[in-house]
Amino acid sequence: MALLHVIKYGHPTLRMVAAPYEREEVEEEFINDMLETMYTEDGVGLAAPQVNVSKRLIVCSDRENEYVIFNPKIIATSENTQSDMEGCLSLPGLHANVGRYDKVIVVGKDAEWRDIEVKASGLMAVVFQHEIDHLNGTLYIDRADLATLAWTDAAVVDPALREQPTTIEMVQQIYRQKYHPNSHALVFEKNFT
Ligand code: ZN
């Protein structure tokens, strides 16, 4: 198994619509690497585009259950929504409040390419919505209340920024320097509908 590099906001792959998986493309090693990367990075979910693979695969875990879902699709949602702070491994050191459906039903294929249907509520419902968004080039900041956008208490980017409110423009400026110093082809915005 190997740890995969998680790409950061600004990398063009995060803004692409990922391609569906075909059964013969499934590689157990890649699934295991995705899971290992998610656990090592202390994430509750990871989408393949975050490791620069623009394909429709997500892995999620609530420490009791582990989900590996190819071509995941939300087929039903609750009417009720919840709002909570969300973060993302591709946007280190940041969080913001995001409104999400309370409950979702997700269908797709599991690691053995069997049809699965997962009913999720609470945190896992949020995680599924967040990860499936990644497959469509959508990031949580697109849905967030940007008045709540702030650096976290973990000093991932710069200790001086801890718990300070911020703006998308400031995030882009800081990420450009920290994560993409030599890249000239950054894509921060979603340029499609
Ligand atoms: Zn994310």
Side-chain angles (χ1 to χ4, degrees), residues 164-184:
Q164 296 299 307
T166 189
T167 62
I168 289 292
E169 293 71 28
M170 188 64 74
V171 170
Q172 293 176 359
Q173 193 185 320
I174 288 171
Y175 276 25
R176 192 183 291 276
Q177 291 166 6
K178 184 171 173 72
Y179 297 116
H180 311 289
N182 301 312
S183 175
H184 302 285

Side-chain angles (χ1 to χ4, degrees), residues 50 87-89 130-131 134:
Q50 293 183 273
C88 179
L89 296 176
H130 177 121
E131 301 309 331
H134 272 301

Side-chain angles (χ1 to χ4, degrees), residues 7-9 87-95 139-141 171 175:
I7 58 173
K8 306 302 189 293
Y9 177 49
C88 179
L89 296 176
S90 294
L91 287 129
L94 270 184
H95 60 184
L139 300 171
Y140 81 88
I141 50 173
V171 170
Y175 276 25

Side-chain angles (χ1 to χ4, degrees), residues 133-153:
D133 269 353
H134 272 301
L135 306 182
N136 296 318
T138 297
L139 300 171
Y140 81 88
I141 50 173
D142 303 336
R143 300 188 186 276
D145 172 5
L146 290 179
T148 65
L149 185 67
W151 300 104
T152 61
D153 54 3

Side-chain angles (χ1 to χ4, degrees), residues 115-127:
D115 286 319
I116 47 165
E117 179 177 306
V118 183
K119 294 186 176 72
S121 58
L123 174 65
M124 286 317 283
V126 173
V127 174

Side-chain angles (χ1 to χ4, degrees), residues 52-98:
N52 201 19
V53 173
S54 193
K55 302 286 292 179
R56 304 186 85 81
L57 166 64
I58 63 170
V59 296
C60 308
S61 169
D62 59 4
R63 310 285 148 170
E64 280 177 25
N65 297 295
E66 187 179 271
Y67 302 96
V68 173
I69 310 181
F70 292 95
N71 303 334
K73 202 172 150 191
I74 294 171
I75 57 161
T77 67
S78 57
E79 281 182 22
N80 288 347
T81 57
Q82 55 186 333
S83 180
D84 215 337
M85 292 306 257
E86 238 171 86
C88 179
L89 296 176
S90 294
L91 287 129
L94 270 184
H95 60 184
N97 234 286
V98 187

